[in-house]
Amino acid sequence: MKKAIIGLLVLGALVIYSVAIRHERPQLSAPQSLTTNNSSATSNANSTTTSGSGTPPSNMSSGSNMGMSNGQYKDGSYTGTVADAYYGSVQVQASISGGKITDVTFLQYPNTHSESVYINQQAMPYLKQEAIKAQNANVDIVSGATFTSQAFIQSLTSALSQAS
Amino acid sequence: MKQTKLIMGMPITVEVVGADDQQLMKMVFDYFRSVDARFSTYKDDSEISQINRGLTPEKWSPEMREIMELAEQTKRQTDDYFNIEHNGRLDPSGVVKGWSIWRASQKLLDAGVNDFYIEAGGDIQTHGHNAKGEKWRVGIRNPFNINEIVKSLQLSGEGIATSGDYIRGQHIYDPHGGKLSGVRSLTVVGPNVYEADRFATAAFAMGRAGIEFIDKTKNLEGYMIDDQGMATLTNNFTEYVYA
């Protein structure tokens, strides 16, 4: 009986702990800031995340400053803190030369494959956007979300109207 | 030949180029019926309903074990965005759909059929070519007008799945309590329909971040349509685009 109570207490503590952890996570969510927006950079209000504009991570756990330069940043190589993305950890290393970011390397990347992702100044993948427009191309099949009940009724109604 | 049946509460269409083989069609549809009998939460005597009434794991069928393992794996891979447990009940339909389409395709391949597609509730596995000898032409439905398509893709061997506001009345949950607003539909193309389906479901629950998740996940491409009718494409999505 005692063991059971202790077990329950431990379990309870774990639950509380995991809930607490959960609450912290959304703030650290890197993907939020990656949402593509062609029109304005100001829409990325989430300041805790690394932005896609080439700014190095704000929290630098280590750095090797090698003198001043004319640019915005001090030359050197900087390792960012580990940030918890929705689906894994992200950690980057930025290289500054001549005051500018010359490289950003992912030391940790939420990916099941271990190869380091090496990219240029455009720090994160930039996704294209377009306005949707109806196509009249002939297709063999259509992919779509399974009908919501409303859409289902709409479709059924149109089918029935043809059938009547 | 092409046939559509209503199974698992949704229209399932099989098209096989050239062949006129009723037995082949029957085999595929019978398979879906067996999946429905085992996994339907709407059927009191299904295995999943028995599990929700307390059937212990050692009595589960190998198929059920496989599905539970795949669901658990997907949950891990998507940081809990994919979760088959809601209110203490298990509903693995989010993984069963893509998995069963994929399995049914393998049955056709085993039977020596090469040019076909299987579509169930908007999720599709393609293989080979259409009757014109071209890649299968797959449209993405306009979420604002179900009679229109907004994109036309060419697929041969890939799977494609689209997640929207609801999956047949079954809500897609955000385990982190976020709101799902903003995204109307998310289409994912993957190496097979199982991969496309489970990641489309999970990524849709992530809201706008979902398309970034798809972009970063190897072998997946995606097309997200938001409330405003703007689409966001993953970096290599255009490789599949016909028009």
Side-chain angles (χ1 to χ4, degrees):
Chain A
M1 191 61 195
K2 255 187 180 172
K3 275 184 182 170
I5 291 168
I6 290 168
L8 274 174
L9 284 174
V10 169
L11 191 67
L14 278 173
V15 167
I16 290 162
Y17 178 71
S18 64
V19 166
I21 290 293
R22 274 275 170 261
H23 278 282
E24 287 172 14
R25 294 183 89 146
Q27 296 177 348
L28 299 167
S29 56
Q32 288 290 2
S33 72
L34 306 178
T35 307
T36 307
N37 193 316
N38 288 331
S39 55
S40 80
T42 53
S43 68
N44 288 335
N46 194 340
S47 61
T48 61
T49 55
T50 306
S51 81
S53 61
T55 314
S58 52
N59 282 327
M60 287 175 181
S61 58
S62 71
S64 50
N65 295 357
M66 294 180 288
M68 297 294 289
S69 63
N70 297 330
Q72 193 180 351
Y73 306 113
K74 292 175 185 172
D75 287 5
S77 175
Y78 303 87
T79 302
T81 53
V82 178
D84 190 1
Y86 280 123
Y87 41 89
S89 298
V90 175
Q91 187 179 32
V92 297
Q93 186 173 61
S95 301
I96 312 289
S97 180
K100 291 182 174 166
I101 300 169
T102 52
D103 239 321
V104 179
T105 306
F106 283 84
L107 302 178
Q108 287 188 50
Y109 197 70
N111 195 318
T112 49
H113 312 280
S114 59
E115 73 265 18
S116 67
V117 182
Y118 205 73
I119 56 170
N120 62 15
Q121 187 155 348
Q122 186 86 44
M124 280 290 178
Y126 194 72
L127 302 186
K128 264 198 303 191
Q129 286 195 316
E130 65 185 23
I132 59 166
K133 56 173 189 281
Q135 307 280 324
N136 45 22
N138 278 331
V139 294
D140 299 305
I141 338 155
V142 174
S143 177
T146 314
F147 293 149
T148 62
S149 55
Q150 191 189 356
F152 181 73
I153 290 164
Q154 187 185 337
S155 170
L156 187 64
T157 308
S158 74
L160 290 177
S161 71
Q162 291 167 45
S164 63
Chain B
M1 66 183 306
K2 179 171 156 182
Q3 278 185 14
T4 301
K5 305 253 184 217
L6 199 65
I7 306 170
M8 298 160 77
M10 61 191 169
I12 299 181
T13 301
V14 180
E15 179 169 352
V16 174
V17 176
D20 185 11
D21 188 339
Q22 290 298 333
Q23 280 306 110
L24 203 63
M25 289 292 184
K26 187 175 183 306
M27 175 192 76
V28 174
F29 289 123
D30 281 350
Y31 170 70
F32 280 111
R33 286 187 193 99
S34 74
V35 169
D36 191 35
R38 189 184 302 283
F39 293 102
S40 173
T41 52
Y42 297 97
K43 289 180 160 63
D44 272 351
D45 58 346
S46 70
E47 189 178 346
I48 190 67
S49 290
Q50 292 176 48
I51 287 170
N52 280 322
R53 287 195 301 266
L55 186 73
T56 47
E58 67 273 12
K59 292 177 184 158
W60 295 0
S61 66
E63 290 85 351
M64 185 62 72
R65 287 168 205 272
E66 183 181 354
I67 282 294
M68 292 298 189
E69 175 51 40
L70 293 173
E72 187 55 36
Q73 186 187 39
T74 304
K75 186 170 182 280
R76 283 197 305 272
Q77 289 171 333
T78 61
D79 192 28
D80 295 2
Y81 272 98
F82 191 100
N83 192 345
I84 63 168
E85 188 178 344
H86 307 295
N87 303 323
R89 292 175 66 84
L90 297 175
D91 180 4
S93 50
V95 66
V96 167
K97 189 176 167 192
W99 175 83
S100 61
I101 302 169
W102 187 35
R103 280 300 166 92
S105 321
Q106 287 170 328
K107 288 179 183 298
L108 284 178
L109 286 174
D110 289 345
V113 180
N114 266 307
D115 297 320
F116 66 87
Y117 73 79
I118 301 177
E119 182 258 345
D123 297 348
I124 304 155
Q125 177 68 51
T126 63
H127 205 274
H129 300 89
N130 65 15
K132 294 180 202 158
E134 300 164 342
K135 288 185 174 187
W136 291 100
R137 202 72 60 74
V138 182
I140 295 178
R141 176 174 291 133
N142 183 349
F144 301 96
N145 180 350
I146 60 166
N147 300 312
E148 283 180 3
I149 60 162
V150 293
K151 212 76 191 165
S152 160
L153 311 180
Q154 297 187 102
L155 302 178
S156 178
E158 296 88 357
I160 180 169
T162 299
S163 264
D165 292 322
Y166 292 92
I167 293 184
R168 235 181 54 76
Q170 167 215 337
H171 293 260
I172 297 174
Y173 297 82
D174 177 354
H176 303 313
K179 49 183 182 171
L180 301 180
S181 64
V183 180
R184 279 301 283 257
S185 78
L186 175 61
T187 299
V188 173
V189 179
N192 60 60
V193 67
Y194 165 66
E195 297 292 344
D197 185 34
R198 66 193 186 118
F199 282 112
T201 304
F204 184 79
M206 296 177 190
R208 287 183 170 272
I211 191 70
E212 307 286 346
F213 176 82
I214 297 301
D215 190 57
K216 286 177 190 63
T217 306
K218 205 172 178 183
N219 296 327
L220 299 181
E221 298 299 333
Y223 191 82
M224 181 199 83
I225 300 173
D226 71 14
D227 275 349
Q228 310 302 313
M230 284 297 287
T232 306
L233 298 68
T234 55
N235 278 309
N236 296 317
F237 184 80
T238 47
E239 286 175 19
Y240 296 117
V241 173
Y242 173 77

